[in-house]
Amino acid sequence: MSPILVRRLRLGAAFVLLAYLILHFTNHALGLVSLNAMETGRWWFLALWRSVPGTLALFGAIAVHGILALWLLYERRTLRMPRWEVAQYALGLLLPALLVAHVVGTRIAWWRFDAEDPYSRVLFTLWLLNPESGARQAVTLLLAWIHAAIGVHYWLRFRPWYPRAAPWLLSVALLLPTLALLGFVSAGREVAARAQAPGWAQAMLRAANAPDPAEVARLAAIRTGFLETYLAALVGVFAARGIRRLLEWRRSIQITYPNARVVAAPRGFTILEASHLAAIPHASVCGGRGRCSTCRVRIIDGFDGLPAPSEAERRVLARVSAAPDVRLACQTRPESDVSVEPLLAPSVSPTEAFATDVRQGREQELAVLFADLRGFTSMAEHKLPYDVVFVLNRYFEAVGTAITSAGGVTNQFTGDGVMALFGIESGPATGSRQALAAARAMVEGVDALSAELGAHLGAPLRIGIGIHTGPAVVGRMGWGESFYLTAVGDTVHVAARLEQATKDYTAQLVVSEAVARHADLDLSGFPSHDLSVHNRVGNVPVRVIDRVTNLRIDWTSARNEDRGGHEERMRS
Ligand code: FES
């Protein structure tokens, strides 16, 4: 079965089950209002889930989710996995056995014997007649919720917006089951109070057409039949795994890792499974689902003997601009001996997962900003070293805050100059607008600093800024402690030249036409020039902006664009 199809089916089924769980909990929470409110909520709940489409969706989702879980359990070659995945699997395999009694006692009883299952009857059983069963049911629902929450977390954690949304989602994840349990308790008490009235329980059970002893026995047989079938399926999966293992070990291959470490693995294992088998630390943030790319390896030898990558693998590799000899270890099942080199550290984080590999770099379009303090060198000659450092640090604080607040990455502080990158994740259009917004905030910050330091400076600080947008190679570069995200290439060179040109034009800002085009900004009102750049063929058309405040742009929205991406990078 194609991995993409499996993933889509699992996701679709999981969505349906999650929706069911959320509505079920919400219905329970209505018990905090009253038993009657719960019953009214239940009417709507059943109108959805006991309708024909609702029934098909729910039982289809249960079947798909369950069958695919067993299929994936068979498919994976090793059961060594991260703890979160162990918990996810264990809960997933346990839940059918825990839930069957409740499902048979309500839905199946209704379906086979017309037995209604209003909250009054269910709570009468779970709260008064069999509280152990009630406690077990509450724990089961919580386990189902935890299973769902783990799934949602590991599904969403690669989204750029997720770190910001996570606290809110966690609040909902804690609040909803809490309210559901409180509703359950509150309604249970109400049922207990009502049951004090003579004849109430008998009338309620009669109205609900509760199953008689013979029907109860048949329901018990259905439950036992399901449990036996489920157990047999589980045993079957493990038996099939054992048989396959025996067959595959007969045809083992060798995978060579760095430092000449050689691992013999059964043919059919993925490279990641071989790493796990040999206890070789290997990054796999998504747990081998082919989504994070952290397991990627460079194939040193044996590339031609590998099966072609699936469409899904190709897409993930393209997303990180992987070189042609790179494959996802979790998706590649070598048929013959290979030699590999894992590209990311085993401890890599989800954020780093999508960063381009350090050694590969990535070519992309982005906005590059250079800024420099005008006349600071001569000003510094008349100051004590301590004063120079103090002023420079305040200046770097002002411009650094302006850059990061606009969504950029401060990249280099050299002397009184600074370089910043914009649009690494959001692209050149957003990056150009952010760079312009940063330029304005930098000028404002420097003006405010001049006003604050006043006479201490002698003359107000002045800043010159150059911005250019274009292709550059972006990657983490450096050595030792000084290893940071930076860019190299013609665009950087041009941006630096534009910053120098601010001196010639006595302007605060010089931007290339490319910036205006990407930012969708009309700069026709500002003087234009064709600027020559050393070692570059052809001039660069630029606009000269004497005062940044003369620019008309929606600064707030420009600053807010891709703020999440910036925060993400800062966290990493
Ligand atoms: S482990 Fe995530 S893509 Fe391979």
Side-chain angles (χ1 to χ4, degrees):
M1 213 182 313
S2 123
I4 292 188
L5 180 66
V6 170
R7 194 186 306 156
R8 286 190 181 149
L9 284 173
R10 285 191 82 206
L11 206 57
F15 269 134
V16 174
L17 296 177
L18 181 64
Y20 182 87
L21 213 49
I22 289 173
L23 293 177
H24 205 32
F25 277 10
T26 308
N27 201 165
H28 287 2
L30 286 175
L32 283 170
V33 180
S34 69
L35 185 59
N36 287 345
M38 245 178 153
E39 301 288 15
T40 307
R42 177 179 169 273
W43 187 92
W44 290 103
F45 183 76
L46 296 190
L48 173 63
W49 295 109
R50 287 193 184 170
S51 66
V52 174
T55 300
L56 288 176
L58 179 61
F59 283 90
I62 291 172
V64 167
H65 205 62
I67 290 169
L68 287 183
L70 292 178
W71 165 253
L72 290 173
L73 186 59
Y74 168 76
E75 267 284 286
R76 63 180 311 145
R77 297 309 207 268
T78 163
L79 294 181
R80 284 184 204 221
M81 49 185 129
R83 258 175 293 189
W84 69 265
E85 213 178 347
V86 172
Q88 179 78 333
Y89 258 103
L91 287 175
L93 295 177
L94 198 61
L95 282 169
L98 291 174
L99 282 169
V100 64
H102 183 61
V103 176
V104 169
T106 53
R107 181 74 182 233
I108 305 294
W110 169 78
W111 182 45
R112 294 295 304 273
F113 305 119
D114 282 334
E116 291 294 336
D117 51 328
Y119 272 106
S120 50
R121 190 193 126 210
V122 174
L123 285 167
F124 182 71
T125 306
L126 295 182
W127 189 261
L128 286 176
L129 297 186
N130 197 346
E132 297 82 32
S133 180
R136 200 165 49 240
Q137 184 58 24
V139 170
T140 302
L141 276 187
L142 286 181
L143 293 180
W145 189 246
I146 292 169
H147 176 73
I150 293 175
V152 169
H153 171 69
Y154 281 94
W155 171 54
L156 290 179
R157 67 185 169 148
F158 303 118
R159 318 281 154 151
W161 50 264
Y162 184 63
R164 277 169 290 144
W168 299 99
L169 291 175
L170 180 64
S171 308
V172 173
L174 293 175
L175 200 60
L176 193 55
T178 306
L179 292 176
L181 283 180
L182 290 175
F184 177 79
V185 170
S186 172
R189 284 184 177 161
E190 194 175 334
V191 166
R194 289 191 192 189
Q196 300 289 325
W200 180 87
Q202 292 78 355
M204 179 273 295
L205 291 173
R206 225 177 4 257
N209 190 29
D212 61 27
E215 290 168 341
V216 168
R218 286 182 55 194
L219 289 172
I222 291 172
R223 193 174 61 234
T224 307
F226 172 85
L227 284 174
E228 286 172 355
T229 309
Y230 180 61
L231 195 62
L234 270 182
V235 171
V237 167
F238 281 104
R241 285 174 56 89
I243 293 167
R244 182 190 56 198
R245 186 100 188 234
L246 285 177
L247 293 176
E248 284 178 342
W249 267 112
R250 287 211 197 136
R251 302 176 300 142
S252 66
I253 56 158
Q254 290 196 332
I255 300 179
T256 307
Y257 289 80
N259 300 324
R261 180 153 184 201
V262 179
V263 172
R267 196 176 299 182
F269 266 45
T270 64
I271 296 170
L272 183 66
E273 285 166 342
S275 305
H276 288 166
L277 185 72
I280 292 178
H282 198 141
S284 56
V285 168
C286 72
R289 288 171 167 76
R291 288 164 52 190
C292 67
S293 84
T294 51
C295 64
R296 57 191 187 260
V297 290
R298 172 167 291 122
I299 309 296
I300 308 293
D301 203 14
F303 187 85
D304 293 339
L306 295 176
S310 66
E311 189 48 41
E313 183 185 347
R314 245 191 274 270
R315 256 191 300 206
V316 173
L317 289 172
R319 210 164 59 203
V320 292
S321 311
D325 58 351
V326 170
R327 294 290 301 268
L328 293 185
C330 68
Q331 303 298 309
T332 309
R333 297 181 190 278
E335 293 288 315
S336 52
D337 296 353
V338 283
S339 178
V340 303
E341 177 195 13
L343 289 174
L344 273 77
S347 56
V348 69
S349 70
T351 307
E352 289 162 319
F354 289 106
T356 306
D357 184 71
V358 167
R359 279 160 284 195
Q360 294 172 46
R362 174 173 72 185
E363 183 166 15
Q364 65 167 99
E365 282 202 280
L366 80 168
V368 180
L369 177 152
F370 271 86
D372 193 53
L373 270 185
R374 293 282 161 264
F376 186 76
T377 312
S378 52
M379 188 190 294
E381 284 169 7
H382 308 290
K383 295 205 173 298
L384 292 172
Y386 170 84
D387 289 337
V388 173
V389 171
F390 171 75
V391 173
L392 274 182
N393 279 337
R394 292 295 310 274
Y395 159 72
F396 287 140
E397 181 189 352
V399 297
T401 305
I403 290 164
T404 54
S405 299
V409 178
T410 51
N411 185 248
Q412 287 177 22
F413 290 103
T414 45
D416 53 5
V418 62
M419 170 181 161
L421 308 177
F422 297 85
I424 292 173
E425 273 133 37
S426 52
T430 301
S432 300
R433 288 192 290 275
Q434 289 174 338
L436 288 165
R440 177 180 165 117
M442 288 163 80
V443 170
E444 288 171 349
V446 169
D447 286 350
L449 186 61
S450 293
E452 183 190 328
L453 299 181
H456 184 73
L457 290 172
L461 296 171
R462 286 177 298 111
I463 188 171
I465 303 168
I467 307 173
H468 180 50
T469 300
V473 174
V474 181
R476 288 189 182 274
M477 304 176 207
W479 184 79
E481 304 263 299
S482 309
F483 205 67
Y484 51 88
L485 191 69
T486 189
V488 292
D490 183 62
T491 300
V492 180
H493 188 46
V494 171
R497 169 74 181 94
L498 302 197
E499 176 268 306
Q500 287 160 12
T502 58
K503 289 181 204 157
D504 307 331
Y505 299 122
T506 330
Q508 285 181 338
L509 177 64
V510 174
V511 301
S512 64
E513 290 282 10
V515 174
R517 192 174 61 250
H518 281 293
D520 197 18
L521 196 61
D522 179 11
L523 295 183
S524 56
F526 294 94
S528 70
H529 296 273
D530 277 343
L531 213 62
S532 64
V533 179
H534 186 57
N535 278 343
R536 190 179 194 272
V537 180
N539 291 342
V540 179
V542 299
R543 294 281 171 177
V544 176
I545 294 130
D546 53 346
R547 294 200 59 76
V548 179
T549 43
N550 293 340
L551 271 177
R552 292 283 163 261
I553 183 172
D554 181 357
W555 301 106
T556 314
S557 68
R559 280 192 192 114
N560 286 340
E561 283 178 87
D562 195 38
R563 184 76 60 81
H566 158 69
E567 285 163 1
E568 179 89 0
R569 286 191 299 279
M570 294 305 286
R571 261 191 293 279
S572 76

